[in-house]
Amino acid sequence: MKKIIYTITAIIFSQVLLAQVVTTDPEFPTADASVIIYFHADLGNKGLQDYTSDVYAHLGVITNLSEDPSDWRYVKTGWSENTAANKMTRVSANLYSLELTPSICGYFGVPDAEEIQQMAFVFRNSDGTKTGREADGGDIFAPVYAAGVNLNISSPENNTIFEVDENFAINANSSNADSLKIFIDDVLIHKVEDQTIFYLHSDNQIGRHKIKVIAKNTSGQISDSVYYSIRGSVNVADLPDGWRPGINYLGSDTVGLVLLAPQKEYVYVVGDFNNWEPNDDYFMNRTPDGEMFWLGVGDLVSGQEYIFQYFIDGKILIADPFADKLSDPDNDQWIEASTYPGLIEYPSDETTEVASVLQTNQTAYQWQTTNFTPPAKTDMVIYELLVRDFIAAHDFETMIDTIAYLDSLGVNAIELMPINEFEGNESWGYNPSFYFAPDKYYGPKNKLKEFIDTCHNRGIAVIIDMVLNHSYGQSPLVRMYYNSATYQPTADNPWFNVTSPNTAFSWGYDFNHESQYTKDFVDSVNAYWLTEYKVDGFRFDFTKGFTNTAGDGGAYDASRIAILKRMADELWSVNPNAYVILEHFAANSEETELSNYGMMLWGNLNNEYCEGAMGYASDFSWGSYKARGWSNPHLVSYMESHDEERVMYKNIIYGNSSGSYNITQQATALRRLELNAAFFFTIPGPKMIWQFGELGYDYSIEYDCRVCNKPIRWDYFQDANRKQVYRVYQALIGLKKEYDVFRTTDYLIDVDGTMKSIHLNNQDINVLVLGNFGVTQNTIDPAFQSTGDWHEFFTGDVLTVTDVNALISLNPGEYRLYSTQSLGDPIFTGIEELPVVYNELELFPNPAVSEININLSAITEQIKQLVIYNVAGQVVEQKDFNGFLDNLYTINVSAYPNGFYYYRIVTDKVIYSGKFIKN
């Protein structure tokens, strides 16, 4: 007998679509008999609709040994294999067939002892670029039945909602039965002596009712059941005072649920607290204006998590758009317990689609830093990172342990690529679905708060990347008003355009920023993150798209400016000091106006700095806000971002050369990054670094694929040449933050060609930066601002200037930073360091828990010193020696925090270096 209470959407969305996308002959196929599969290409996702070339089935089975629906077994052919055994026969334009012979079991080669429960399908063209799937993009499944009497109620669908006295059909089909009976609430209402039964029924009893059908023959019987509800009139009542859209926590055992759903007729709440049944006690009230539905839910267990959804008009199941935690049927199962301990299990036997999670009496995070003042805009050095590709653990817990590294580098702002719930687990995050919930792939929300709190304690601001240009199909705001036939939002969608007005750049579904609903939603999203998580501002993705003006978005657009100013004003009313950073890339006249209004804008100098680093003529002038005609230093310039090719990669692949000077050689390529840095951080205004740029990350942005996981190379920090790049970044960032001259408005830049210079002036100190971006030795007129002693920052040399225009010769790639006063200790002392040998020693166990052993048998020299560093370069432990040690040396690491560590063993001739992990 089938389970009586089917999942609401398993029936509403999956079973009905299955019957449409794939049908079988016979209707009740068994494992020991052949079957003809019919694929309806004009249904489901329609990926092969009207396709005229060959179509193939990629198919397997789900058996009693399968761990989950994705565990296909006995797959007939590989994804790219095109054979006669999986080629479909075209019956008509959009109907294909495939006969599985001599039996289902024989076709797949399933042993007799293993029970086949379902057949699984994806249909494709010959190269897999077009596929036929379910409407939601999922795999297609068809049941395999046991021999004997079988039964299926084809209508109504389980948990269908009907009005009082509305007629509806009860229809059931069976195999090998000689009679069928229909019962309503256990009362017999119709019977036939046949294998098919049909009955037209209506009901005037408000509430939930059970349909049971029994199929019988001389050898036995089987039953199938579904439920339906008769709904009453929607109660119209004002929204209680203080309630807002989303989950309102009213007490330890009570919540108030509010759904903004204009033009919808009725809504039930279904969830753990009512056995997922749409009954009258959970029939939502509607406000007099027809805009909102609301309901109080009580008798909850304090502190217990509950999963729930809204069931709209008897057709659509959605999670609460304002929920701060979601339960995902497809992705949560792959989140490690170490990342998110105690993650509530999705109720796969009860529902499908993403669901909301509520919990009364949650443990509130106790903020430790309550008086944080974010850095001034002109002093900002932002570090953009993707948590997934920055630390292997991809969680906020480990990010907290890594803040020390960034603090040591000197950055004073961290920009996180999107961290609100997006589709899937591993993603850049620009496919957002829910805007109020941190993505669980990165850990619990309180760990995010702790990360932000810890950053603030170290003087580091936190900026989050927010995607409000578009959303994707998982979003409840999309799904509530969606045309599944056209795969577009409907015209009455309050938040989204039917199609994007931007003819050149479009992703997902386009927010209609002219709509008051969208304006209200945007304001609520921004206010929430500013207050609940105390973020210091936002980098808004593709703000060029915040308009309904048709075109590619490149021209001046007054309506877009008005939209952005309104958004910024609302945001600043919550936090006047919040950063508003736009990825805009529109006409400079428009960006100038937005800058003058107080917003900051991304300035992409990737191509220019790549050309300069590679040894070709380039012009950095657009990295100066003054060159753009702006009044304020609101240009966030960058050499690299998540969206750009890595400078070091291009150096290695495309670097210029002359004679023995070759930029494609790693050591030279890394020195060119130092040269770039000298002409990047010293131009006044905020700057941004992409993760690991300070170590010369040299994997292409297209490694595997553009958005694929990238190798995480913390070991770069132990490479002396890469460490020098880090030290140059660190030193220049320190200057930028400490000395007013790097904030000056009195500066000149001559940064085209290959010989470049920057002149910075203020009342206390003048600075001159010189650099040779060519590949041959050359001279430059320094145009010193005055005669006298000038201090070279990197070496500590003092140059006495008597002729301000006396030519200075620079080797290829050489850079100098002169100032009229000393700016601190030089970072290059000229002392020759010992050679460094990497990973020459055996360490065990690695990872270590309490102790780690170092095998010193390979060392024949006298050992002077052993030093342990954390990833921030801070000394954790140091021991001095003067002689030979035993072959096995043990270090107690039980008190070390979990993470990566590096060791350096200094002898009288060489330095041995490597890494280990403490778990």
Side-chain angles (χ1 to χ4, degrees):
M1 177 177 174
K2 293 183 180 178
K3 183 174 181 180
I4 291 177
I5 302 175
Y6 278 86
T7 74
I8 295 170
T9 51
I11 297 296
I12 292 176
F13 298 112
S14 301
Q15 194 175 67
V16 173
L17 288 175
L18 170 124
Q20 294 172 336
V21 182
V22 165
T23 54
T24 64
D25 182 15
E27 182 180 356
F28 297 95
T30 58
D32 60 355
S34 64
V35 64
I36 300 176
I37 304 298
Y38 290 98
F39 165 52
H40 302 259
D42 54 345
L43 301 173
N45 73 335
K46 302 182 182 180
L48 290 166
Q49 183 175 7
D50 299 327
Y51 188 66
T52 56
S53 295
D54 293 338
V55 171
Y56 294 85
H58 181 63
L59 68 171
V61 292
I62 305 298
T63 77
N64 59 317
L65 300 183
S66 297
E67 295 182 359
D68 55 61
S70 64
D71 184 15
W72 289 27
R73 297 174 67 81
Y74 305 101
V75 176
K76 185 64 177 178
T77 55
W79 174 254
S80 60
E81 291 184 69
N82 302 321
T83 68
N86 68 327
K87 183 177 179 180
M88 305 294 293
T89 299
R90 189 187 308 276
V91 179
S92 60
N94 285 302
L95 181 65
Y96 297 83
S97 69
L98 176 66
E99 185 172 9
L100 310 187
T101 59
S103 65
I104 297 175
C105 194
Y107 177 84
F108 289 103
V110 180
D112 292 340
E114 196 166 348
E115 177 191 344
I116 302 176
Q117 298 172 337
Q118 292 177 305
M119 295 174 286
F121 306 93
V122 172
F123 301 95
R124 59 170 177 79
N125 63 350
S126 59
D127 61 6
T129 56
K130 294 180 179 292
T131 61
R133 298 176 179 267
E134 293 283 19
D136 62 0
D139 299 341
I140 303 167
F141 297 97
V144 177
Y145 295 85
V149 180
N150 288 290
L151 174 66
N152 178 53
I153 298 176
S154 55
S155 67
E157 300 156 5
N158 193 49
N159 283 319
T160 300
I161 313 296
F162 298 107
E163 296 183 31
V164 172
D165 292 330
E166 178 183 353
N167 289 325
F168 62 92
I170 301 173
N171 190 29
N173 303 304
S174 68
S175 64
N176 303 316
D178 53 27
S179 66
L180 295 172
K181 296 178 181 179
I182 298 175
F183 296 81
I184 301 290
D185 295 333
D186 296 325
V187 175
L188 178 64
I189 63 168
H190 188 59
K191 63 180 180 178
V192 297
E193 293 183 355
D194 201 344
Q195 296 194 58
T196 300
I197 192 167
F198 176 87
Y199 183 74
L200 199 61
H201 183 65
S202 64
D203 203 324
N204 59 13
Q205 296 299 309
I206 294 172
R208 197 163 185 261
H209 303 277
K210 176 182 177 182
I211 300 172
K212 182 177 181 179
V213 178
I214 296 177
K216 187 177 181 181
N217 66 13
T218 56
S219 62
Q221 69 178 36
I222 190 170
S223 66
D224 193 10
S225 300
V226 296
Y227 286 80
Y228 68 90
S229 294
I230 302 299
R231 69 174 181 86
S233 301
V234 178
N235 183 53
V236 177
D238 290 328
L239 188 70
D241 290 342
W243 289 28
R244 54 167 181 74
I247 305 167
N248 298 268
Y249 289 100
L250 308 177
S252 62
D253 66 348
T254 307
V255 296
L257 303 178
V258 181
L259 176 66
L260 176 62
Q263 305 174 59
K264 296 302 180 184
E265 191 173 355
Y266 63 91
V267 181
Y268 286 89
V269 177
V270 292
D272 292 337
F273 38 70
N274 66 358
N275 295 319
W276 295 89
E277 298 173 1
N279 61 54
D280 268 6
D281 291 340
Y282 293 88
F283 197 37
M284 300 187 80
N285 305 285
R286 186 174 61 205
T287 55
D289 60 6
E291 292 281 293
M292 296 187 188
F293 293 84
W294 62 272
L295 181 71
V297 177
D299 296 325
L300 302 173
V301 177
S302 177
Q304 178 177 316
E305 288 189 314
Y306 293 87
I307 299 176
F308 76 97
Q309 292 170 316
Y310 298 113
F311 190 24
I312 303 171
D313 289 349
K315 300 176 182 178
I316 306 169
L317 273 169
I318 64 163
D320 192 307
F322 290 81
D324 68 355
K325 184 175 180 179
L326 288 310
S327 186
D328 189 313
D330 299 319
N331 299 298
D332 286 2
Q333 60 186 313
W334 308 114
I335 297 176
E336 304 95 330
S338 58
T339 299
Y340 201 114
L343 182 60
I344 188 171
E345 185 177 355
Y346 182 85
S348 55
D349 288 339
E350 306 295 352
T351 190
T352 60
E353 301 293 347
V354 175
S356 343
V357 180
L358 66 81
Q359 180 187 23
T360 62
N361 266 11
Q362 297 182 41
T363 301
Y365 179 77
Q366 300 300 314
W367 293 90
Q368 302 301 306
T369 307
T370 57
N371 58 349
F372 175 67
T373 301
K377 293 176 182 176
T378 192
D379 292 347
M380 289 179 72
V381 179
I382 303 168
Y383 195 95
E384 186 194 15
L385 65 87
L386 172 61
V387 176
R388 183 198 73 183
D389 289 350
F390 190 58
I391 48 173
H394 62 75
D395 61 15
F396 298 124
E397 175 74 50
T398 309
M399 282 297 302
I400 294 168
D401 298 333
T402 313
I403 294 171
Y405 169 85
L406 298 173
D407 191 15
S408 177
L409 179 61
V411 301
N412 54 17
I414 296 173
E415 182 178 304
L416 300 174
M417 286 174 66
I419 55 170
N420 56 292
E421 278 280 3
F422 44 76
E423 302 197 6
N425 281 333
E426 296 186 351
S427 169
W428 276 11
Y430 296 104
N431 51 342
S433 51
F434 292 86
Y435 286 86
F436 295 84
D439 198 285
K440 299 184 298 299
Y441 188 68
Y442 298 146
K445 63 182 180 182
N446 277 0
K447 279 300 174 184
L448 172 58
K449 292 179 180 180
E450 184 181 349
F451 168 76
I452 295 169
D453 200 8
T454 306
C455 285
H456 287 173
N457 185 55
R458 288 179 173 268
I460 299 173
V462 177
I463 300 161
I464 60 173
D465 202 332
M466 186 58 67
V467 185
L468 289 168
N469 173 71
H470 59 271
S471 198
Y472 279 78
Q474 199 177 68
S475 166
L477 305 184
V478 173
R479 293 185 59 242
M480 277 194 283
Y481 306 85
Y482 187 73
N483 186 332
S484 58
T486 62
Y487 302 103
Q488 294 174 328
T490 56
D492 60 350
N493 190 306
W495 298 279
F496 290 90
N497 291 312
V498 175
T499 58
S500 171
N502 194 303
T503 55
F505 306 103
S506 296
W507 301 271
Y509 302 105
D510 186 68
F511 270 108
N512 174 11
H513 284 275
E514 296 285 358
S515 166
Q516 187 61 46
Y517 292 98
T518 299
K519 294 174 184 178
D520 293 342
F521 183 75
V522 165
D523 294 343
S524 63
V525 169
N526 293 339
Y528 176 79
W529 286 94
L530 290 171
T531 55
E532 182 69 19
Y533 288 88
K534 300 187 185 300
V535 302
D536 302 292
F538 304 91
R539 177 267 190 189
F540 290 106
D541 183 66
F542 196 66
T543 51
K544 186 160 61 176
F546 286 26
T547 179
N548 282 348
T549 302
D552 65 3
Y556 180 92
D557 185 345
S559 65
R560 178 170 55 206
I561 290 176
I563 287 168
L564 291 169
K565 286 182 177 179
R566 189 214 64 81
M567 180 188 75
D569 287 338
E570 289 295 323
L571 188 158
W572 286 327
S573 72
V574 177
N575 181 353
N577 296 318
Y579 304 116
V580 178
I581 304 174
L582 311 181
E583 184 205 27
H584 207 60
F585 304 139
N588 187 54
S589 57
E590 183 170 326
E591 295 202 348
T592 301
E593 186 172 345
L594 294 169
S595 169
N596 290 341
Y597 202 72
M599 292 177 246
M600 304 166 74
L601 297 103
W602 262 23
N604 182 3
L605 274 295
N606 175 257
N607 182 69
E608 291 75 10
Y609 279 99
C610 281
E611 292 295 305
M614 290 187 294
Y616 304 105
S618 60
D619 187 352
F620 301 161
S621 61
W622 212 236
S624 165
Y625 72 95
K626 289 175 61 177
R628 299 179 180 228
W630 297 9
S631 301
N632 302 296
H634 291 164
L635 177 68
V636 182
S637 60
Y638 57 86
M639 297 184 286
E640 296 175 337
S641 76
H642 69 269
D643 249 346
E644 310 300 335
E645 187 57 272
R646 314 303 170 220
V647 178
M648 183 62 178
Y649 172 79
K650 294 187 77 170
N651 280 357
I652 296 295
I653 302 300
Y654 306 112
N656 199 359
S657 64
S658 178
S660 62
Y661 187 84
N662 187 345
I663 295 175
T664 65
Q665 296 176 352
Q666 184 185 86
T668 303
L670 287 167
R671 296 292 78 77
R672 302 292 295 201
L673 301 187
E674 300 170 22
L675 174 64
N676 265 5
F679 280 79
F680 175 66
F681 293 107
T682 54
I683 298 177
K687 307 296 174 189
M688 188 180 78
I689 309 166
W690 169 243
Q691 64 183 31
F692 298 128
E694 73 282 4
L695 294 172
Y697 193 80
D698 50 14
Y699 289 85
S700 171
I701 192 175
E702 304 296 344
Y703 181 87
D704 279 357
C705 76
R706 189 174 187 83
V707 298
C708 288
N709 298 55
K710 299 298 186 287
I712 300 172
R713 298 298 304 271
W714 282 100
D715 58 310
Y716 279 178
F717 193 72
Q718 294 306 302
D719 182 300
N721 288 327
R722 295 181 188 275
K723 180 67 175 291
Q724 181 168 309
V725 179
Y726 175 95
R727 292 171 63 201
V728 170
Y729 271 57
Q730 184 183 53
L732 291 168
I733 292 170
L735 294 182
K736 177 177 178 57
K737 295 191 300 183
E738 183 175 354
Y739 292 96
D740 284 341
V741 67
F742 295 98
R743 306 179 183 96
T744 184
T745 60
D746 180 8
Y747 66 91
L748 295 172
I749 58 174
D750 184 2
V751 288
D752 59 354
T754 57
M755 303 301 290
K756 305 181 191 294
S757 64
I758 297 174
H759 294 74
L760 308 173
N761 309 295
N762 78 351
Q763 60 184 1
D764 299 318
I765 191 171
N766 293 331
V767 169
L768 169 63
V769 186
L770 302 173
N772 179 359
F773 284 80
V775 292
T776 59
Q777 186 183 60
N778 207 341
T779 58
I780 187 171
D781 180 351
F784 283 102
Q785 293 96 311
S786 63
T787 58
D789 289 344
W790 286 76
H791 302 259
E792 208 290 310
F793 171 67
F794 294 101
T795 62
D797 294 342
V798 177
L799 176 66
T800 300
V801 174
T802 57
D803 179 356
V804 296
N805 300 115
L807 298 181
I808 290 180
S809 178
L810 296 176
N811 291 322
E814 187 177 0
Y815 56 93
R816 299 182 190 177
L817 192 158
Y818 290 105
S819 59
T820 52
Q821 296 179 18
S822 173
L823 299 178
D825 295 333
I827 65 171
F828 301 145
T829 62
I831 298 174
E832 183 177 356
E833 295 187 356
L834 292 171
V836 180
V837 178
Y838 297 101
N839 301 317
E840 288 288 323
L841 304 179
E842 177 189 7
L843 279 73
F844 60 91
N846 189 9
V849 176
S850 58
E851 292 183 341
I852 191 161
N853 302 290
I854 305 179
N855 186 346
L856 303 177
S857 61
I859 298 180
T860 59
E861 307 87 16
Q862 293 190 61
I863 295 177
K864 303 293 188 183
Q865 188 180 69
L866 166 66
V867 187
I868 307 295
Y869 301 89
N870 62 20
V871 294
Q874 298 168 320
V875 175
V876 175
E877 188 170 348
Q878 177 175 319
K879 292 185 180 296
D880 296 317
F881 307 98
N882 189 22
F884 299 96
L885 298 181
D886 293 337
N887 285 347
L888 197 64
Y889 187 82
T890 302
I891 305 172
N892 186 339
V893 297
S894 58
Y896 289 16
N898 292 347
F900 281 96
Y901 292 87
Y902 301 94
Y903 69 84
R904 286 170 66 89
I905 297 176
V906 182
T907 75
D908 54 0
K909 295 181 179 179
V910 71
I911 297 174
Y912 294 85
S913 180
K915 66 179 179 179
F916 64 89
I917 301 172
K918 162 62 168 55
N919 275 348

